[in-house]
Amino acid sequence: MNFAFSEEQEELRRTVRQFLESKSPSGEVRRLMDTTEGYDPAVWKQMGQELGLQGLHIPEEYGGQGYTFIELGIVLEEMGRVLLCAPYFASVVLAGNAILNAGTDAQKQALLPGIASGDTIAALAFTEPSGKWGADGITLTAKESGGAWTIDGEKMFVIDGHNADLLVVVARTQGTSGTDGISFFTVRGDAEGVTRTPLSTMDQTRKQSRVEFSGVAAEPLGTPGEGWPALSKTLDQAAVALSNEMVGGAQFVLDQSVEYAKVRVQFGRPIGSFQAIKHKCADMLLEVESGKSAAYYAAWAAAEDNDELPVVASLAKAYISEAYFHATAENIQIHGGIGFTWEHDAHLYFKRAKSSEIFLGDATYHRELLAQRIGI
Amino acid sequence: MDFRDTPSEAAFRDEVRGWFSEHLVGDFAALGGRGGPADEEGWDVRIEWERLLGADRWVGMSWPAEYGGRALDYAQQVIFNEEYARANAPGRISFFGEGLFAPTLIQFGTDEQKRRFLPKIQSVEELWCQGFSEPNAGSDLANVQTRAVLDGDEWVINGQKVWTTLAHRADWCFVVTRTDPESKSHHGLSYLLVPMHQPGIEVRPLRQMTGSAEFNEVFFTDARTARENVLGPVGEGWKVAMATLGFERGTAFLSQQLGFQRELTDLIEVAQKNGATADPVVRDKLAGHYAGVQIMKYNGMRMLTNLLHTGVLGPESSIGKLYWTNWHRSLGETAMDVLGTDALLVEHEGDGDYHLDDLHQTFMASRAETIYAGSSEIQRNIIGERVLGLPREPR
Ligand SMILES: Cc1cc2nc3c(=O)[nH]c(=O)nc-3n(C[C@H](O)[C@H](O)[C@H](O)COP(=O)(O)OP(=O)(O)OC[C@H]3O[C@@H](n4cnc5c(N)ncnc54)[C@H](O)[C@@H]3O)c2cc1C
């Protein structure tokens, strides 16, 4: 039994942290969050060319570096810590894993090298206006005629949909319901019949769009109608990835709270000497550390690709969603008035935490999923 | 990162499993996992079982070989305890002797003291109790007022201890006393080892909210112990007492997780049988407890890895105590939700009888866990000050 990162993994963390601290300071986050694209193409390019981050967990045969979900988790944790504005989660985690899970070998050969190098930005269009995260939320229809497929319908909350060169779209074949008929397709972002509308997001550091498809010619990814296992796995992996990202932000706001509690003086003493504040920090630490244990363990299960994955994915997403939000909320309270300003970063983490909590299903949703998965 | 047993860990696990399948039979198996510091269920069977463990050196498994131990490392101790919980073996009774006193003795005792006391702990011939708390010294343990003075070759002790678990069963007590009458706070204390069976000691049971009486008041009126029965230097008992508390709060929890897991599994079974799992709120809570108990395991594995690498358990072990006590307390509350109106009744065998089934036992006994061994508030102070470096309160 050994629950620690290797020296090489710690080194990766140091390198990524250094890079992100110089490329994504708060000022940059604020500059980018006011743009429609919401990321810096030059930094994106450096991430791919200098650090190879986009291809980190993609197998070498598909142009990646062949590392695992553990390394991916480390990188995401660091990104969450600084609220990096980039289409990384959309392209590498959501679309990249969908292609890995659903695609044929030839499709992986064709699509993944671009994602791995960062030259292609991809997005996964799966959620619809209903906001449902399970199979029954997929209603966008796919029709076949003479071996050619067309898709019609609307996708919502598509992370970085408007930035994507490549859209991976989840549809259902006509006349099916539930987990039957779920199908993956790929479409170029600027294909004929695709309308993309950037949305005004509560969390401005992560962009979303509405994507409408009207009689769009689409290329099947894997076998149409048999996509549910791949989608389910992609969502579990995404929940694990997001959990790792969230603990990075949670640790950051805990540090911020503790730092402030040591220096802010009221009634002639640092506010951190008051138990009301001290105990909040202690509870935050407990939840952040527990969240890390869950996130790292889940990353390991995803790396091993073992049967624990569905259970630990829901478990981690449920626990960490609440822990992260709680930490960001306490951080505002501990800062008092300054914590309520636009100028202070506390609200950026607060908003990221709430939208991460809701994205992929909130804690209640995942606890129900967990109940089913452990046979309750 | 790898959560599988190493080959040597796997071999050790097999050995332990083999031992249980051979010995955990008959009355021992029938008792199940019942019994603990606040639960005297099945006492006689448990004593016998504990002696069996001692005979094969599972009591004292971490001690050095020269004192009869197996010198097992932390990883092996955890494996043993995991298998113990998996086998659903009877609740241990040597917690105070083996779990708290023995490691303190090994750290601070003279060779003579170790040879005098350790073998009888292992053979379960002598049981111990912990004489720390007093009416005016609870969380503020340094306020101890029980006095001891030397009279020739003996210490003479006067004062009162309270909440002393199993004092009515114990043969010896490790007692924090004030040996310097002029001293205040944590100065001038000594850690004395006092035989319980003597005229100067009176034990009065205190009935707990569970209905039974595992803890007691202990009155010392010219009670005596030999001069050499002081652990560590005279006047430096605080340091020794802190070490005991370290063991109490430290590694003990690493091995509890599987027992908790079992309690949850049993509760889920009850909920499935009585239909409570149809209620979405109950489902949410049960799944939340499941997440919680798994994370308890992951936390434990991280701490254990750290312990194996550094050899010391840092103040972050406070997180462990705060975590498991809260988890267990809320499990107890959910158990009542699951029972619904069945929660309204306890077992009853005659006038004045008040007997708890396992779920009511969890519901009630868990209230003590956030109080003893450093209350949750004290744990949060420790985490805030020693882990996060927040300023202490002005005194
Ligand atoms: C079932 C059980 C078994 C026990 N067994 C033993 C035993 O075998 N031997 C033994 O010596 N003792 C034993 N104890 C005693 C236990 O260690 C004490 O109860 C504990 O230390 C708390 O002390 P107290 O009861 O005096 O409460 P107090 O210290 O008076 O605490 C009352 C409340 O005030 C809070 N509080 C106190 N100080 C602070 C502070 N600085 N900041 C914030 N909040 C504070 C506490 O958290 C608590 O909520 C046992 C207790 C129980 C419940």
Side-chain angles (χ1 to χ4, degrees):
Chain A
M1 200 282 302
N2 172 23
F3 196 168
F5 293 108
S6 67
E7 189 37 50
E8 195 188 7
Q9 289 163 341
E10 295 291 3
E11 179 58 34
L12 171 69
R13 183 187 295 284
R14 282 192 289 273
T15 307
V16 173
R17 179 169 296 191
Q18 226 171 20
F19 176 81
L20 292 175
E21 274 174 357
S22 78
K23 302 296 174 189
S24 181
S26 167
E28 269 305 284
V29 171
R30 284 164 180 273
R31 181 179 72 79
L32 293 168
M33 76 187 200
D34 277 338
T35 64
T36 306
E37 301 73 38
Y39 76 103
D40 183 338
V43 172
W44 180 252
K45 207 171 189 159
Q46 278 182 310
M47 282 167 58
Q49 290 178 354
E50 288 171 25
L51 300 178
L53 296 184
Q54 286 89 328
L56 197 67
H57 84 297
I58 294 175
E60 281 163 311
E61 59 207 286
Y62 306 126
Q65 305 211 49
Y67 287 100
T68 73
F69 262 84
I70 299 177
E71 287 79 14
L72 183 66
I74 291 171
V75 168
L76 286 162
E77 186 179 350
E78 294 305 316
M79 290 176 173
R81 190 169 169 274
V82 298
L83 299 177
L84 173 74
C85 297
Y88 191 87
F89 199 85
S91 191
V92 176
V93 175
L94 290 169
N97 286 328
I99 294 167
L100 276 166
N101 295 329
T104 63
D105 192 57
Q107 289 168 330
K108 292 184 213 178
Q109 298 281 4
L111 300 171
L112 289 171
I115 292 177
S117 67
D119 292 341
T120 304
I121 292 176
L124 179 66
F126 65 111
T127 324
E128 302 190 3
S130 72
K132 290 184 178 168
W133 301 103
D136 54 351
I138 310 288
T139 66
L140 183 137
T141 49
K143 270 185 292 209
E144 197 226 298
S145 150
W149 290 82
T150 50
I151 55 175
D152 280 278
E154 180 182 346
K155 292 290 177 182
M156 273 295 280
F157 319 110
V158 181
I159 296 188
D160 288 303
H162 57 292
N163 289 320
D165 309 305
L166 174 73
L167 291 168
V168 178
V169 187
V170 185
R172 86 165 44 256
T173 50
Q174 274 182 307
T176 61
S177 65
T179 55
D180 290 337
I182 300 293
S183 314
F184 284 89
F185 294 92
T186 53
V187 175
R188 286 178 49 86
D190 56 4
E192 175 102 20
V194 174
T195 312
R196 297 186 286 179
T197 317
L199 302 168
S200 305
T201 49
M202 170 182 72
D203 166 20
Q204 297 171 288
T205 64
R206 178 168 274 160
K207 303 300 181 185
Q208 301 170 21
S209 42
R210 175 204 314 275
V211 186
E212 288 153 298
F213 300 86
S214 165
V216 176
E219 189 65 33
L221 180 69
T223 310
E226 292 174 14
W228 173 247
L231 179 59
S232 174
K233 183 167 175 183
T234 302
L235 295 178
D236 287 341
Q237 291 168 329
V240 172
L242 189 55
S243 296
N244 279 271
E245 188 194 278
M246 287 191 281
V247 294
Q251 179 68 55
F252 182 85
V253 296
L254 167 60
D255 292 344
Q256 208 172 41
S257 287
V258 169
E259 201 47 46
Y260 190 70
K262 286 178 186 170
V263 298
R264 171 67 177 166
V265 173
Q266 285 292 279
F267 299 96
R269 48 195 266 212
I271 57 168
S273 69
F274 293 105
Q275 287 192 355
I277 300 293
K278 184 178 290 171
H279 288 189
K280 277 188 197 303
C281 293
D283 284 334
M284 284 160 80
L285 179 75
L286 178 143
E287 291 178 13
V288 171
E289 286 298 323
S290 301
K292 283 185 184 174
S293 298
Y296 300 163
Y297 187 87
W300 174 80
E304 293 282 304
D305 198 9
N306 62 25
D307 1 320
E308 272 192 272
L309 176 62
V311 165
V312 295
S314 280
L315 178 165
K317 179 65 169 65
Y319 186 87
I320 296 167
S321 292
E322 289 181 341
Y324 187 18
F325 180 70
H326 182 227
T328 60
E330 295 290 46
N331 189 41
I332 292 177
Q333 183 68 19
I334 289 170
H335 279 80
I338 200 157
F340 188 67
T341 61
W342 188 266
E343 196 185 340
H344 196 279
D345 287 346
H347 72 103
L348 302 181
Y349 287 87
F350 178 79
K351 293 167 184 173
R352 171 65 78 85
K354 183 47 84 177
S355 60
S356 300
E357 181 181 342
I358 294 167
F359 188 64
L360 300 174
D362 65 12
T364 310
Y365 172 82
H366 276 284
R367 279 193 293 265
E368 174 53 36
L369 216 51
L370 177 57
Q372 291 168 22
R373 287 171 169 183
I374 60 173
I376 299 182
Chain B
M1 223 176 261
D2 191 352
F3 298 96
R4 284 164 286 235
D5 283 342
T6 62
S8 71
E9 287 167 352
F12 179 71
R13 194 181 291 280
D14 281 346
E15 180 192 341
V16 174
R17 278 191 189 169
W19 193 89
F20 281 118
S21 64
E22 190 180 327
H23 294 89
L24 185 61
V25 292
D27 282 352
F28 303 140
L31 187 61
R34 192 69 195 264
D39 184 358
E40 264 186 276
E41 189 88 2
W43 183 263
D44 296 336
V45 176
R46 284 163 61 203
I47 283 271
E48 244 187 280
W49 168 249
E50 195 84 19
R51 292 198 168 132
L52 207 58
L53 288 170
D56 279 349
R57 296 181 300 138
W58 294 116
V59 178
M61 62 186 171
S62 67
W63 305 348
E66 54 176 320
Y67 300 115
R70 288 172 174 256
L72 298 187
D73 65 23
Y74 286 116
Q76 291 170 313
Q77 292 173 50
V78 168
I79 289 171
F80 176 84
N81 287 314
E82 280 173 3
E83 292 307 318
Y84 196 97
R86 201 186 312 274
N88 206 20
R92 298 295 296 270
I93 51 181
S94 56
F95 174 72
F96 293 98
E98 188 206 10
L100 301 189
F101 176 61
T104 315
L105 178 64
I106 287 169
Q107 189 175 338
F108 290 95
T110 61
D111 187 56
E112 243 175 3
Q113 288 173 325
K114 292 178 201 175
R115 293 195 189 283
R116 161 66 188 83
F117 292 114
L118 290 173
K120 304 248 168 178
I121 291 175
Q122 190 170 53
S123 62
V124 199
E125 283 167 85
E126 288 176 353
L127 295 180
W128 285 78
C129 63
Q130 177 184 22
F132 281 22
S133 305
E134 297 182 3
N136 288 312
S139 300
D140 186 9
L141 179 61
N143 198 36
V144 157
Q145 279 148 30
T146 294
R147 299 177 314 281
V149 291
L150 265 181
D151 174 24
D153 277 347
E154 286 186 326
W155 291 100
V156 180
I157 306 148
N158 281 284
Q160 185 199 339
K161 295 290 173 180
V162 72
W163 322 127
T164 321
T165 302
L166 297 179
H168 57 296
R169 301 278 194 184
D171 305 289
W172 285 83
C173 186
F174 46 99
V175 189
V176 180
T177 60
R178 193 163 292 286
T179 43
D180 175 356
E182 306 296 307
S183 66
K184 276 220 171 73
S185 180
H186 55 277
H187 303 287
L189 300 174
S190 299
Y191 195 107
L192 299 187
L193 315 179
V194 183
M196 291 295 285
H197 308 297
Q198 58 168 309
I201 290 185
E202 187 194 348
V203 176
R204 290 188 202 152
L206 291 166
R207 198 174 184 200
Q208 298 162 179
M209 64 181 278
T210 52
S212 57
E214 277 88 21
F215 62 25
N216 306 271
E217 292 177 293
V218 180
F219 294 90
F220 297 82
T221 313
D222 292 333
R224 288 177 174 264
T225 194
R227 183 179 189 145
E228 65 268 21
N229 285 338
V230 56
L231 189 59
V234 173
E236 289 183 29
W238 181 253
K239 206 168 66 187
V240 187
M242 286 304 101
T244 303
L245 292 188
F247 295 119
E248 185 171 22
R249 295 168 189 180
T251 43
F253 71 88
L254 285 176
S255 33
Q256 287 167 329
Q257 190 270 343
L258 262 165
F260 288 145
Q261 177 100 57
R262 176 185 301 279
E263 280 186 47
L264 173 60
T265 305
D266 291 349
L267 178 61
I268 290 171
E269 224 174 274
V270 171
Q272 279 167 332
K273 277 200 192 116
N274 80 0
T277 47
D279 178 349
V281 176
V282 168
R283 298 176 67 75
D284 186 77
K285 287 183 181 176
L286 291 173
H289 295 312
Y290 181 84
V293 81
Q294 290 301 112
I295 291 172
M296 196 190 297
K297 176 166 85 185
Y298 310 150
N299 281 343
M301 293 191 296
R302 268 176 82 209
M303 276 183 214
L304 181 63
T305 299
N306 203 24
L307 186 64
L308 292 170
H309 288 174
T310 64
V312 287
L313 196 69
E316 25 340 317
S317 60
S318 287
I319 296 167
K321 206 260 169 178
L322 188 58
Y323 187 101
W324 75 256
T325 55
N326 279 326
W327 180 88
H328 200 214
R329 198 162 75 165
S330 85
L331 182 80
E333 291 166 11
T334 300
M336 297 301 104
D337 297 343
V338 164
L339 287 182
T341 48
D342 285 346
L344 300 176
L345 308 177
V346 294
E347 292 168 10
H348 177 79
E349 280 153 14
D351 284 354
D353 178 68
Y354 187 80
H355 195 78
L356 302 180
D357 56 72
D358 290 354
L359 294 181
H360 282 88
Q361 178 70 22
T362 298
F363 175 56
M364 293 184 207
S366 62
R367 306 320 290 192
E369 294 162 355
T370 51
I371 297 171
Y372 63 60
S375 71
S376 295
E377 290 72 25
I378 296 299
Q379 302 297 343
R380 289 189 179 94
N381 285 345
I382 293 173
I383 294 169
E385 291 165 17
R386 297 200 214 146
V387 184
L388 295 173
L390 290 167
R392 298 173 66 97
E393 274 175 276
R395 291 184 193 222

